[in-house]
Amino acid sequence: PYTTLFRSEFDRAGLKYKREVEQDIYYKGIKVGTRRADFIVEERIVVETKAMIDLEPVHLAQAKNYVVAYNFQKGLLINFGAPSLQYKLVFHPHFHSENSINQ
């Protein structure tokens, strides 16, 4: 149900997006699997959605991992399952240092 909501809002806003873009996972140069972020928006931001009671550190780690894997500057983690909407903006460490975020 949330996928339909996002698609509708992206379309209404005129944003280009792709759903579940596959990314290869390599270990020491050997392909060991794939991963898929929920949405890639405008070829520059990863949007990962959840429907959990509460976001946990593993969900944030997953969103950060996607940002690095797709080599985007930032991503958005959104959780619809909590009593109120939860969201986290995540940054690629190569593009954003702790000092640049706090300035």
Side-chain angles (χ1 to χ4, degrees):
Y2 298 114
T3 300
T4 304
L5 170 75
F6 271 95
R7 287 179 176 178
S8 174
E9 289 300 316
F10 291 151
D11 288 339
R12 193 158 52 121
L15 295 171
K16 292 182 243 164
Y17 65 92
K18 295 178 185 171
R19 175 88 171 113
E20 293 192 356
V21 177
E22 198 164 275
Q23 178 76 9
D24 293 334
I25 301 170
Y26 291 90
Y27 176 74
K28 295 185 178 182
I30 300 169
K31 183 179 171 185
V32 295
T34 59
R35 68 181 124 220
R36 289 183 227 167
D38 289 333
F39 292 96
I40 302 297
V41 181
E42 294 288 322
E43 295 293 328
R44 54 187 258 186
I45 188 166
V46 176
V47 177
E48 184 66 13
T49 61
K50 299 293 180 195
M52 312 295 290
I53 293 172
D54 198 16
L55 286 176
E56 296 183 13
V58 68
H59 303 125
L60 187 57
Q62 179 187 28
K64 286 181 180 180
N65 185 299
Y66 286 154
V67 168
V68 171
Y70 289 86
N71 201 33
F72 293 150
Q73 290 188 20
K74 54 188 147 186
L76 186 61
L77 173 62
I78 303 172
N79 181 28
F80 292 97
S84 63
L85 181 72
Q86 295 177 317
Y87 61 93
K88 301 281 183 186
L89 186 60
V90 295
F91 296 96
H92 190 301
H94 176 77
F95 296 104
H96 295 276
S97 70
E98 191 66 34
N99 292 333
S100 68
I101 293 172
N102 293 326
Q103 293 180 357

